[in-house]
Amino acid sequence: MTDDPFTDAGKPARVSISRLKLANFRNYESLSLRLGSSHIVLTGENGAGKTNLLEAISLLSPGRGLRRATYTDVTRANALDGFAVHATIETPEGSVDVGTGLAGNTPGDSGRRVRINGVTVSSADELLDYSRILWLVPAMDGLFTGPAGDRRRFLDRMVLAIDPAHGKRVLDYEKAMRSRNRLLTEDRGSDAWLDAIETPMAELGIAIAAARAELMRLINGMIERLPDDSPFPKADCLLDGELEQRIGIEAATDVEEAFRRALHDGRNRDRAAGRTLEGPHRADLLVRHRPKSMPAALCSTGEQKALLIGLILSHARLTGELTGIAPILLLDEIAAHLDEGRRAALFDIIEELGGQAFMTGTDKALFDSLEGRAQFFKVSHGEVEPG
Ligand SMILES: Nc1ncnc2c1ncn2[C@@H]1O[C@H](COP(=O)(O)OP(=O)(O)OP(=O)(O)O)[C@@H](O)[C@H]1O
Ligand SMILES: [Mg+2]
């Protein structure tokens, strides 16, 4: 057996960021960091730039990053040029340079450019060829009690990590739905126009529901593998959506045809409502705390957090097993609300998952047990120093 992490049979390969460069990103005017492949701990005062650094890394995956911010907001205030994030990623096939950003004269939200090994690519989805980046941030603490839309996005991001075509599927569906809504409310859509939109909407809708249902099947299987005495309790996840529920029982072609008909027959209702009232954009992710047999939303703050951590870790394990690449984890303020036992258990699970984890906190002492297993950095006023 060699100690090369990439040839450790059966384990997902470790993919790690060895170099990170930021320019005009949030409170970073410019930053250049060299990193080893072990975990990274970032500590510093409130407002130092810890979450910003994780956010920059999150933009090395498709989507709007862990804050879902506009590109105008992530660009450093008063910067003369647009923002840029560059990283070198070590993969089993060698080093890959990835980068993203806005050129200085690009209007704020017309989209960011993504470059891989110096070549501009047409879609950020191509970043998924090299790494998977998953995160848990304090803003997600309200996931179980907040709006269904947040849970749907969370669900679709989980799907995206194992099925890179999912992002485009969801975007295309939403685009088609917006066109349908416009045609209905402006009352200028002929039946033929609406037919031409509803047919692909039904196709995409079924593909979305099927991908979500498959994720649910896989993640529930993974959660089952959590030990019964895990400090992160087992979650029972269920999709609340008509298509998602029918897809497992009936033939996909029948469900698709039924959805197409429902869209057709619901035109007057949707015209009156001003929006499409049926479809995968209405689905919800229902989570229950198994040991307590309680809906997650009715659990205590700490119980919800433990449940969410268990879900994220199970998803990270699933992603590693299915893709063969251990995901890079961005865990913002992860240790703050955990007691010592749970903290130690969390660090052990992270270690076992095999990916590089970036962890932040205001209190370095909470990470003492990672001494020798992680690299420690001090963040202060948009600067990062070892320590
Ligand atoms: N576009 C921007 N330009 C300049 N500074 C910004 C921009 N956006 C945010 N900031 C500032 O960046 C600073 C650091 O924010 P960040 O969220 O990274 O802090 P943090 O270290 O995670 O703090 P906490 O411990 O409170 O979570 C904040 O003071 C924030 O106001
Ligand atoms: Mg923060």
Side-chain angles (χ1 to χ4, degrees):
M1 189 69 123
T2 82
D3 61 1
D4 177 353
F6 298 142
T7 57
D8 197 352
K11 275 203 105 181
R14 178 177 283 249
V15 163
S16 61
I17 296 179
S18 60
R19 185 143 194 243
L20 184 67
K21 285 177 79 171
L22 310 185
N24 290 324
F25 187 88
R26 299 272 190 192
N27 66 331
Y28 292 91
E29 184 176 356
S30 97
L31 174 78
S32 179
L33 264 187
R34 283 193 179 277
L35 305 167
S37 70
S38 63
H39 304 309
I40 315 290
V41 175
L42 302 158
T43 57
E45 293 173 0
N46 296 135
K50 305 178 297 293
T51 306
N52 291 349
L53 195 79
L54 300 192
E55 184 185 29
I57 298 172
S58 72
L59 286 171
L60 300 172
S61 67
R64 294 214 137 186
L66 57 75
R67 283 194 176 105
R68 294 183 43 75
T70 64
Y71 299 131
T72 312
D73 281 352
V74 303
T75 304
R76 192 172 64 92
N78 305 320
L80 296 174
D81 224 338
F83 80 89
V85 179
H86 285 103
T88 305
I89 302 183
E90 305 303 326
T91 80
E93 282 82 36
S95 301
V96 183
D97 284 321
V98 297
T100 188
L102 288 185
N105 52 4
T106 324
D109 271 310
S110 60
R112 58 179 168 124
R113 270 197 317 182
V114 175
R115 286 162 79 87
I116 298 177
N117 285 333
V119 178
T120 301
V121 295
S122 59
S123 161
D125 289 348
E126 294 191 31
L127 292 164
L128 296 172
D129 291 347
Y130 304 97
S131 66
R132 294 292 194 279
I133 301 176
L134 311 177
W135 54 80
L136 179 58
V137 299
M140 287 157 73
D141 287 355
L143 186 73
F144 301 128
T145 49
D150 287 355
R151 282 185 295 280
R152 238 178 353 255
R153 257 193 299 277
F154 173 73
L155 170 68
D156 285 329
R157 275 211 80 83
M158 286 203 288
V159 178
L160 181 68
I162 61 164
D163 180 354
H166 192 66
K168 182 165 177 354
R169 209 178 270 149
V170 172
L171 285 178
D172 287 350
Y173 174 85
E174 285 172 353
K175 198 167 148 204
M177 182 174 69
R178 280 195 299 275
S179 301
R180 177 177 184 268
N181 290 348
R182 215 174 310 120
L183 283 179
L184 286 173
T185 48
E186 291 171 6
D187 216 5
R188 42 184 191 87
S190 70
D191 280 355
W193 283 5
L194 284 161
D195 287 347
I197 288 181
E198 288 167 358
T199 301
M201 256 181 93
E203 261 173 48
L204 290 161
I206 293 312
I208 291 168
R212 288 173 178 170
E214 176 64 1
L215 183 267
M216 278 299 103
R217 190 182 69 75
L218 292 166
I219 200 136
N220 280 325
M222 200 49 87
I223 288 168
E224 228 32 83
R225 282 167 47 186
L226 281 171
D228 282 331
D229 60 351
S230 163
F232 306 109
K234 290 185 185 177
D236 285 318
C237 300
L238 186 77
L239 281 174
D240 181 19
E242 200 184 324
L243 297 181
E244 284 83 354
Q245 295 197 343
R246 289 177 65 176
I247 201 91
I249 304 162
E250 299 166 44
T253 44
D254 292 348
V255 188
E256 180 178 325
E257 177 53 21
F259 181 37
R260 200 191 57 70
R261 284 215 68 76
L263 287 171
H264 180 273
D265 297 346
R267 285 176 189 172
N268 283 337
R269 177 200 62 191
D270 292 351
R271 184 177 284 117
R275 65 205 162 95
T276 303
L277 292 176
E278 216 178 315
H281 59 288
R282 307 280 299 212
D284 197 355
L285 169 66
L286 304 183
V287 179
R288 289 181 73 84
H289 188 294
R290 172 146 359 137
K292 293 201 62 177
S293 184
M294 188 69 86
L298 298 184
C299 290
S300 77
T301 315
E303 287 167 343
Q304 290 187 36
K305 182 89 181 189
L307 203 54
L308 186 58
I309 293 175
L311 191 55
I312 301 271
L313 295 175
S314 295
H315 176 244
R317 180 167 293 136
L318 177 68
T319 303
E321 289 193 5
L322 288 183
T323 63
I325 298 174
I328 292 172
L329 298 176
L330 310 176
L331 305 171
D332 197 17
E333 284 175 43
I334 187 79
H337 302 291
L338 296 178
D339 54 50
E340 207 180 329
R342 286 194 168 78
R343 223 162 37 232
L346 173 71
F347 294 158
D348 288 346
I349 298 174
I350 290 172
E351 194 86 5
E352 186 225 312
L353 286 173
Q356 189 184 35
F358 289 75
M359 291 167 266
T360 69
T362 48
D363 183 1
K364 188 179 173 208
L366 297 181
F367 300 95
D368 278 352
S369 63
L370 281 173
E371 202 70 57
R373 300 190 274 172
Q375 306 150 76
F376 289 78
F377 292 92
K378 180 106 196 130
V379 185
S380 174
H381 302 293
E383 299 202 358
V384 182
E385 300 289 340

